[in-house]
Amino acid sequence: MPSKVSKETSVQENSKESSSEMEIDSCTLKAVSSSPSEKIHLRPMTLSDIDDFMVWATDINVTRFCTWEPYTSREAGIAFINSFVLPHPWLRAICLDDDRAIGSISVTPVDSIRGEIGYVIGSKYWGKGIATEAVRLVVAEIFKEKPEMERLEALVDVDNVGSQKVLEKVGFVREGVMRKFMCLKGNVRDMVMFSFLPSDSLL
């Protein structure tokens, strides 16, 4: 979802979810479900992911709700990974079973007790439940990794219905619409605020 901090976006995600098992392995998170298309894992993103990054970062459909425009050169993508991705306190590549990155997901500190989740996935993989599985994986683990965090929040453009559904499927609470909350690519936008607390139930 677009935000002033995370530089991530959310995607259209309309598929039905099946139950999944979650396995934690070092800094790699794995989700296995009954559908092969939903079998994913999260791992730290590296510079070697540049070619996969360029697939979604150059797609105008993917970047519609991003704070950034589509990338036009591999060099710019490399610069972004070096300057933003690698130093980020918590950012993971969303990978299929073959370890190929098809998107990314991050939790960016807002203050000492709040984090903001953001995610982006290549349009080829929309509608497969992958974003929902990725968000579910993060929520299942982030409060254990960061016990000081009291609230995980998400800001979603009012027109990004797909991403709103992703969050609701995982158990995020829709708190309301923040009117005229941020400027996105020259347009002042209303944003929907979602939150998940450690005491909330993961769906």
Side-chain angles (χ1 to χ4, degrees), residues 68-134:
W68 40 275
E69 298 289 351
Y71 279 76
T72 58
S73 73
R74 194 170 186 271
E75 290 71 23
I78 291 173
F80 173 75
I81 292 175
N82 279 325
S83 65
F84 180 80
V85 173
L86 298 183
H88 196 281
W90 205 100
L91 188 149
R92 301 289 185 267
I94 302 171
C95 300
L96 297 179
D97 198 36
D98 61 2
D99 206 41
R100 178 163 44 90
I102 60 169
S104 65
I105 189 164
S106 66
V107 175
T108 303
V110 177
D111 55 29
S112 61
I113 62 169
R114 292 185 296 148
E116 181 180 347
I117 190 169
Y119 45 93
V120 57
I121 291 180
S123 57
K124 178 181 177 180
Y125 301 97
W126 293 0
K128 299 179 183 295
I130 292 174
T132 308
E133 287 291 349

Side-chain angles (χ1 to χ4, degrees), residues 154-196:
L155 280 169
V156 187
D157 192 284
V158 289
D159 289 339
N160 197 344
V161 178
S163 187
Q164 294 173 40
K165 289 181 179 179
V166 165
L167 296 166
E168 289 167 347
K169 287 177 183 178
V170 174
F172 276 74
V173 174
R174 179 188 176 107
E175 296 184 335
V177 176
M178 313 288 283
R179 298 184 298 167
K180 306 296 184 184
F181 189 75
M182 67 176 291
C183 186
L184 178 64
K185 298 173 180 174
N187 298 309
V188 179
R189 304 293 299 168
D190 294 346
M191 306 294 289
V192 184
M193 175 67 81
F194 288 86
S195 69
F196 195 101

Side-chain angles (χ1 to χ4, degrees), residues 128-145:
K128 299 179 183 295
I130 292 174
T132 308
E133 287 291 349
V135 172
R136 187 179 287 117
L137 272 174
V138 173
V139 174
E141 184 64 14
I142 197 67
F143 293 110
K144 299 174 187 176
E145 288 189 22

Side-chain angles (χ1 to χ4, degrees), residues 12-18 37-38 125-132 165-166 169:
Q12 298 296 329
E13 192 65 46
N14 300 309
S15 64
K16 294 182 179 179
E17 296 300 321
S18 58
S37 67
E38 297 173 11
Y125 301 97
W126 293 0
K128 299 179 183 295
I130 292 174
T132 308
K165 289 181 179 179
V166 165
K169 287 177 183 178

